[in-house]
Every structure is written in structure tokens, then in C-alpha cells.
Amino acid sequence: MKPLIVTFVAGIATTASTAGAGEIDSFWRATLDRLAREPVDARVEPARESVPYSSFVVTLRSLDGARIRARLAIPVQGESPAEPWPVIVTAPGYGGSQQGVMLADCQRGYAVLQVFPRGQGESAELGAIVGDKLTGRLDEPDGAYYQGAYADVIRAVDFVIARTDLDSDRIALVGTSQGGGIALAVTALDPRVKAVVAHLPFLCDFRLAATRPSLVKTLLDRADRNDEAALSTLDYFDPIQLAPRLRVPVLVSAGGKDDACPPETIRAVFDRIPGDSKTLKFYPELHHTSCVDFYNLSWAWLDKEFRNRDENR
């Protein structure tokens, strides 16, 4: 399936947020200050797996003392001189377990850190989610699920920064669906991240998604929370509000037949990303699923724009 390479100039109309940019900025400054006061308290244990790379189970302390789990994979160095590895940090889709980047992908020459935000996947045994992630706590932004989830991924970046075998100047966020939306949002919030790849990202333009067939509308309608109060809270976590902060290379995909994450919601976020170091791959026939073409393109793009960026400039 061949993509169209799309560069959009004008954004599409969407309902305006009731929260100003200053309010959202203040909220995230306060959240990240709170996170910084929590010790990382990293625990790293070798994974008991027979794999051709080094694999570890990582436990971290995050916002408000929540503990989360991650998996770290590092290539075997061999006899070449040891140098810090560029790092890909990834988060799962909405189901909580399925990651968009496999640990075995570390053999491409990257360290891979799979993060399971609070209550998801391997982190579920450390603390359960009360209610649905998207709709469970929407009365105010402080305490909403994605406040903690975004902080958890930022805490994973803190962990990367602290390790001498990982390159703190080459950290990329890569994800699919929910993982893609988290990747966009966290990259906007954390300037230590230097590139982002988001395949069919979820969480994009909640207000637009709430008006048409989408996973956002399904979840909000099911919870009887497709209302202004809920959307006002979700504004604080929407990549469309955070996108103007992005200052790194961005690669995004959208599918023309995706009825979970409609392409117009992804385009709306893409249009708000400043600069010209951004690319949107649009697949007219793609549903909400994996795409071999985008997978292959992503690795070539990461090699050029991220891993080998110093050689290209």
C-alpha cells in the first residue's frame, strides 16, 4: 500500500477549547514540578528470557507515588567500542498491552524502552485503574487518567537520562494508536525528546472526534460524558493543544478508513505543528491497523532524522 505524502498549510475548523494556552501551560508546569519531587527509585532486573539481546524489567516511581513497569532491551555491543545507544521510548495502544515497537527491534541499533503507564499492561499489578482511562475522571484535569499516564512516560525519559549506556541527546518517542497520541503529547511537553513517530494516533482533537464516528465518541457516549465539562478537561491532554510546542522532526500516519482515529482529527493536530520538519503519510484504504509500508518507512526515517542526524547536517 503506497502512501500519499501530504503537506497541509491551512488547518481545518474545530471547536475552540475553553481552556486558554496559559491555563494548560500552568497545569503542566505544576504537574511536572510535582513529578520532579518524586524520586525515580528505579529498580532494574535482568529478564529471564533467552533472546539475542540484553533484556531488563524496570520498575519506576512516578507522579503521586504511583509505580509503573517498563521493559528495556539493549543490543549486544560485540567487540566494537562501547558508545551510548540512541533510545526509542514507546507506550501501548488503548488495550494497554500491545506495544507498537517490539523489544527485538533493538537489534536495529537502538535501545528500546517499552513503558506501561499506570494500570496498563505489566503495570496493572502495581495499581489498578478505576473506571475507563478516557472517561473515568473528567470533572477536572488534576487527577484525570492521562495526567498520570503522560507523567509516567516523562518519568521513563528521566530514567533514560540517568543511564550512561543510553544517549540522552538521542531519545525518540514512537507509538501506535494510544501510544502515538501519547508520543505526540509527551514530545510536546518534554524538550529532551528529539523525534516522534505516531502511527494512527489516538487522543487527537477530542472535540472534533466527539462529533463523528470514532473511539472517542463511542467511549464518551457510553459513559454519558459527551459534554462540555468532559471536553474541557480533555483539552488539557489533547495533542491539538500541545502541538504548537513541538520543535523536533515529526512523522505521522493516518488511514482513510480509520473509524477509531479518524484522519481529520490527526490532520488537525498535524496542521498545528510548527515548522517544516514534519511529514504526514496518508493511506486512503487503511483501517485502524498496522501498516507494513509505514513500519518500514518509520525505521528509514528514524535512521535519517534521528539516529544519524549529526552525519546529515
Side-chain angles (χ1 to χ4, degrees), residues 46 87 109 123 130 141-143 145-146 186 189-190 196 200 202 213 238 249 262 276 279 285 301 304:
V87 185
S123 293
V130 178
D142 193 29
Y145 176 77
Y146 283 102
V186 170
L189 291 168
D190 194 333
V196 58
L200 308 178
F202 182 47
D238 196 330
D276 56 6
T279 301
E285 300 300 316
W301 184 90
K304 177 182 178 183

Side-chain angles (χ1 to χ4, degrees), residues 59-77:
T59 306
L60 303 171
R61 178 171 170 172
S62 187
L63 187 69
D64 298 331
R67 297 201 69 80
I68 63 165
R69 183 130 318 138
R71 290 272 182 160
L72 174 65
I74 300 177
V76 175
Q77 186 77 45

Side-chain angles (χ1 to χ4, degrees), residues 156-175:
V157 176
D158 293 336
F159 168 74
V160 169
I161 295 292
R163 290 182 63 104
T164 58
D165 57 341
L166 305 181
D167 190 340
S168 60
D169 290 325
R170 288 188 294 172
I171 301 172
L173 259 60
V174 181

Side-chain angles (χ1 to χ4, degrees), residues 9 24 77 109 113 115 207 220 236-237 243-244 246 266 313:
V9 178
I24 294 174
Q77 186 77 45
L113 183 63
V115 184
R207 289 176 176 271
L220 290 174
Y236 286 78
F237 311 104
L246 283 164
I266 297 169
R313 293 178 182 173

Side-chain angles (χ1 to χ4, degrees), residues 42-235:
R43 302 175 189 176
V44 182
E45 301 176 358
R48 296 177 180 176
E49 302 170 320
S50 179
V51 292
Y53 49 86
S54 300
S55 180
F56 304 90
V57 178
V58 180
T59 306
L60 303 171
R61 178 171 170 172
S62 187
L63 187 69
D64 298 331
R67 297 201 69 80
I68 63 165
R69 183 130 318 138
R71 290 272 182 160
L72 174 65
I74 300 177
V76 175
Q77 186 77 45
E79 297 180 1
S80 59
E83 294 183 0
W85 293 103
V87 185
I88 290 174
V89 179
T90 188
Y94 200 73
S97 296
Q98 188 173 14
Q99 295 277 3
V101 180
M102 301 298 101
L103 294 177
D105 284 324
C106 74
Q107 295 174 100
R108 295 174 178 271
Y110 298 87
V112 173
L113 183 63
Q114 292 181 336
V115 184
F116 296 93
R118 58 192 61 202
Q120 299 196 48
E122 295 187 17
S123 293
E125 65 187 64
L126 304 177
I129 299 170
V130 178
D132 177 67
K133 295 190 287 292
L134 185 74
T135 62
R137 299 182 66 177
L138 291 181
D139 291 333
E140 59 181 1
D142 193 29
Y145 176 77
Y146 283 102
Q147 178 189 30
Y150 292 1
D152 294 344
V153 178
I154 292 170
R155 178 42 41 104
V157 176
D158 293 336
F159 168 74
V160 169
I161 295 292
R163 290 182 63 104
T164 58
D165 57 341
L166 305 181
D167 190 340
S168 60
D169 290 325
R170 288 188 294 172
I171 301 172
L173 259 60
V174 181
T176 295
S177 192
Q178 175 192 246
I182 290 175
L184 289 169
V186 170
T187 302
L189 291 168
D190 194 333
R192 298 173 298 180
V193 179
K194 303 305 182 186
V196 58
V197 177
H199 179 48
L200 308 178
F202 182 47
L203 310 174
C204 290
D205 200 347
F206 288 116
R207 289 176 176 271
L208 182 60
T211 67
R212 58 199 61 203
S214 66
L215 181 55
V216 167
K217 180 171 170 45
T218 297
L219 294 171
L220 290 174
D221 288 350
R222 183 184 301 161
D224 197 24
R225 289 309 314 265
N226 199 340
D227 55 53
E228 179 55 36
L231 292 170
S232 293
T233 291
L234 290 172
D235 285 337

